[in-house]
Amino acid sequence: MGCTSSMPNKIYNVGKMKKKKKRKLNIPEVVVFVPALRLPGETNLQRALRGVLPRHLVDRLSSLRSQIVILAEDTGGLAFNELQRALEDYLPVLIGLVNKEFSLDQTVDFKWKNLQDGRQEICIASSWFELLSVVNMIPILLMSEANSLLIPKESLDVAERTVSEDCKKDAVDLLIKASGYLDFCIRCILVQMPPDIKAKLPTDLQEDFLGAVSFQALGQGTEMQLGLAVENQKATLSVKRRLACEQLKYFAQDSGSTIFILLEIYCALEETECFAAMVRLAHYFLSKCDMNNAQGKKQLLFLKWKYLEAKAAAYYYHGLILDKGKEPSCHITAVCCFLAADELLTDSKKANLSFCVASPVTRSPPVWGVMKHLYQRIPDVASKKLQMYGYLLEQEKALQALPDLPDFSLSLRAEDYTLPDMDPAWNGEKWEAQVQTLKEHLNDLGDDEPENNE
C-alpha cells in the first residue's frame, strides 16, 4: 500500500477548497492633493464638564462630536456633505467653550486622531484647539470632494480623461471655499491661542502649513480656470496668458523679506507666473514647517510637480504672444520661451513620478485638461519654431535670455467665512453660578485622578 493511498480522504478535497481572494491593492489617484484627515478622538466631556455645564448641554456636545466620528469612520471620510453638515451642527454648540464669558477654554483635554491609522493621536487642553480642528476639517472635506469630482467614476478608456465643464466649475468653487476656511483659521483662530498651545499643534495645523494649503487650493482653482479657457473657443490668447500669470499679485502683497527668501530659493527661475506664484509661496510656507514626515514630504513633491507644469504653461502662452511680433528679436525671445517650456515640461514629468512613488504611494491621473493640450503642443511648437528661427538665435546670441513675464492683478480670491452664532442653549441663566465654581471643579478632578489611575 503506497503512502498516498493511506492518506485521509479529506486531503483529496484540497482542489475543491475555496481560493482566498487576493486583496486588491488600493492606490488612490490624486488630482487635488489633500492633507490627511483628522477625526475627534475619545474625549470624556461628561467627566470634564461635570458640575460646570447643565447635563443636557454636555450630552449635546458629546452626541454631536460622536456623530462626526461615526460618519467619518463608517464612510472612510467620503460622505462629504453629511460630514460637513455634522461639523456645522457641532460648531454653534462648541463656540460656547471658547466664549470668554464662561472661561472654559482649558477645561477639556480634546483628543484628535488620524483617520488613516488611528494611532497618531494628539491631546491638547484647549477649546480653541478643538475649534481649529473642527473648522480645519471642513476644507479638507471640500478639497477631497473637489478631487473626487475631477476623477470620473466610470471611464471607458483609462488613458483618456474627460471631465465635464460643470465638474470643473464646481471644483473651482469648492477650492475657493476651502481656501476661505483655511484663511479664517489663520486670521481668527490661531491668533486667539497662547504661544504654549500653538507650540503643541501638529504640523498640519500650524500657520505656515495652513497658509500653504490655502495658496495651493487657489492655485489649483486657477489651473481649472485655465483648462476651461483652453477648451473655450472664444477665449483669447491674452486671456489664457493672463490666467497663467495673474498670481503675481501675491508677491506684491507680501513683505520684502518674504520675496527675498523666495528669490533665494528659486534664484535660477523667473518667479512671476499665476499658478506657480501660489505654488511657490506655498512651498516657502511648507519649508518653514517640520516636514520630517511622509505627508509633508509628499506635499512638497506635489507642489514641485505643479510648479514646473505652471512654469511651462506661463512661458508657452507668453511665447505665443511674443511670436506675433514682427521684429526678429520677438521671434528670438519667443523661441527662448518655447524651449524653456519644453524643458520644464520634461522636468515636470520626472517630478510627477517622484511624487507618485513617494510614501504614501499614489497613482498619477491621465494627462487631461490644460496639461493634455500643452503636452501635445509645447514639444511640437518648440521644435518647429527652433527650425524656423534657429539661425536668428545663432546670429543674436546676446538676445538668448528669458523675458520677464507680465504682471497681472489677482482675480481668484478665497471665499470669506465667518463662524455661526452661538447656540441659544448657552444663553441660559440657570447655570451661571455653576460656571463660577470652575476652579473648585478642576481641583476636585485633580484630587480624583490618582485614585482613577490605580
Side-chain angles (χ1 to χ4, degrees), residues 261-299:
I261 294 172
L262 289 171
L263 290 175
E264 282 191 327
I265 295 174
Y266 297 102
C267 59
L269 300 172
E270 296 290 334
E271 307 300 327
T272 49
E273 302 88 326
C274 171
F275 175 51
M278 287 184 180
V279 171
R280 183 169 68 255
L281 192 52
H283 192 294
Y284 162 69
F285 280 134
L286 284 172
S287 67
K288 295 175 65 179
C289 298
D290 178 15
M291 286 290 117
N292 294 321
N293 58 77
Q295 183 78 5
K297 293 177 180 178
K298 185 82 172 178
Q299 185 149 7

Side-chain angles (χ1 to χ4, degrees), residues 21-305:
K21 293 183 178 180
K22 293 183 179 180
R23 292 183 61 184
K24 291 183 179 181
L25 185 61
N26 183 24
I27 301 178
E29 184 177 323
V30 175
V31 177
V32 176
F33 187 81
V34 184
L37 183 66
R38 291 183 183 274
L39 302 181
E42 186 176 348
T43 299
N44 194 333
L45 292 173
Q46 283 85 357
R47 180 172 180 269
L49 297 172
R50 182 180 60 194
V52 179
L53 296 179
R55 180 64 181 267
H56 71 87
L57 187 53
V58 177
D59 288 345
R60 192 172 173 200
L61 277 165
S62 181
S63 175
L64 290 171
R65 197 173 193 271
S66 298
Q67 183 66 20
I68 297 170
V69 180
I70 293 170
L71 271 173
E73 291 183 341
D74 287 352
T75 64
L78 299 178
F80 307 122
N81 295 331
E82 292 82 355
L83 268 171
Q84 185 173 347
R85 197 155 43 242
L87 291 165
E88 291 170 349
D89 290 342
Y90 180 45
L91 277 173
V93 187
L94 172 61
I95 290 171
L97 292 178
V98 299
N99 192 311
K100 293 182 180 179
E101 179 184 352
F102 305 116
S103 303
L104 298 173
D105 177 27
Q106 299 183 14
T107 309
V108 183
D109 291 328
F110 286 104
K111 296 179 181 179
W112 282 73
K113 61 185 179 180
N114 190 299
L115 174 63
Q116 293 178 343
D117 53 31
R119 294 191 302 269
Q120 298 179 13
E121 190 173 86
I122 182 169
C123 178
I124 300 179
S126 170
S127 299
W128 284 108
F129 162 66
E130 175 79 351
L131 182 63
L132 174 64
S133 300
V134 170
V135 175
N136 179 65
M137 191 173 172
I138 297 176
I140 302 303
L141 292 173
L142 292 172
M143 295 176 73
S144 297
E145 186 176 358
N147 184 65
S148 177
L149 284 174
L150 299 173
I151 301 176
K153 295 178 177 59
E154 296 182 2
S155 180
L156 298 176
D157 188 353
V158 178
E160 291 290 330
R161 168 61 50 85
T162 302
V163 180
S164 70
E165 182 177 335
D166 288 341
C167 283
K168 291 177 185 177
K169 290 181 177 179
D170 289 344
V172 172
D173 291 339
L174 291 169
L175 291 168
I176 293 173
K177 289 179 180 178
S179 181
Y181 280 98
L182 293 163
D183 188 48
F184 179 85
C185 289
I186 297 171
R187 292 186 297 103
C188 302
I189 301 181
L190 283 176
V191 294
Q192 301 291 340
M193 293 183 174
D196 60 316
I197 297 297
K198 285 185 180 181
K200 297 177 183 179
L201 294 175
T203 297
D204 57 359
L205 289 180
Q206 292 175 9
E207 179 178 352
D208 294 328
F209 191 95
L210 295 175
V213 179
S214 176
F215 279 119
Q216 174 200 320
L218 290 176
Q220 292 204 261
T222 305
E223 184 184 19
M224 295 300 105
Q225 288 184 328
L226 179 58
L228 290 169
V230 169
E231 295 171 1
N232 187 346
Q233 296 181 353
K234 296 181 180 180
T236 65
L237 189 57
S238 297
V239 169
K240 296 171 187 176
R241 181 179 66 170
R242 181 187 178 97
L243 284 170
C245 300
E246 67 178 15
Q247 293 179 36
L248 175 63
K249 185 174 181 180
Y250 273 82
F251 288 98
Q253 294 175 343
D254 273 305
S255 63
S257 60
T258 301
I259 296 174
F260 180 75
I261 294 172
L262 289 171
L263 290 175
E264 282 191 327
I265 295 174
Y266 297 102
C267 59
L269 300 172
E270 296 290 334
E271 307 300 327
T272 49
E273 302 88 326
C274 171
F275 175 51
M278 287 184 180
V279 171
R280 183 169 68 255
L281 192 52
H283 192 294
Y284 162 69
F285 280 134
L286 284 172
S287 67
K288 295 175 65 179
C289 298
D290 178 15
M291 286 290 117
N292 294 321
N293 58 77
Q295 183 78 5
K297 293 177 180 178
K298 185 82 172 178
Q299 185 149 7
L300 284 173
L301 289 171
F302 177 81
L303 293 174
K304 180 181 179 182
W305 165 35

Side-chain angles (χ1 to χ4, degrees), residues 319-339 382 385-386 388-393 396 399-401:
L320 290 178
I321 289 181
L322 291 175
D323 196 44
K324 292 181 178 295
K326 297 180 180 180
E327 298 295 327
S329 60
C330 295
H331 300 305
I332 293 174
T333 307
V335 171
C336 291
C337 289
F338 296 140
L339 293 176
K385 295 298 180 181
L386 182 60
M388 291 175 62
Y389 302 114
Y391 71 96
L392 289 176
L393 284 173
E396 303 290 345
L399 297 177
Q400 295 183 22

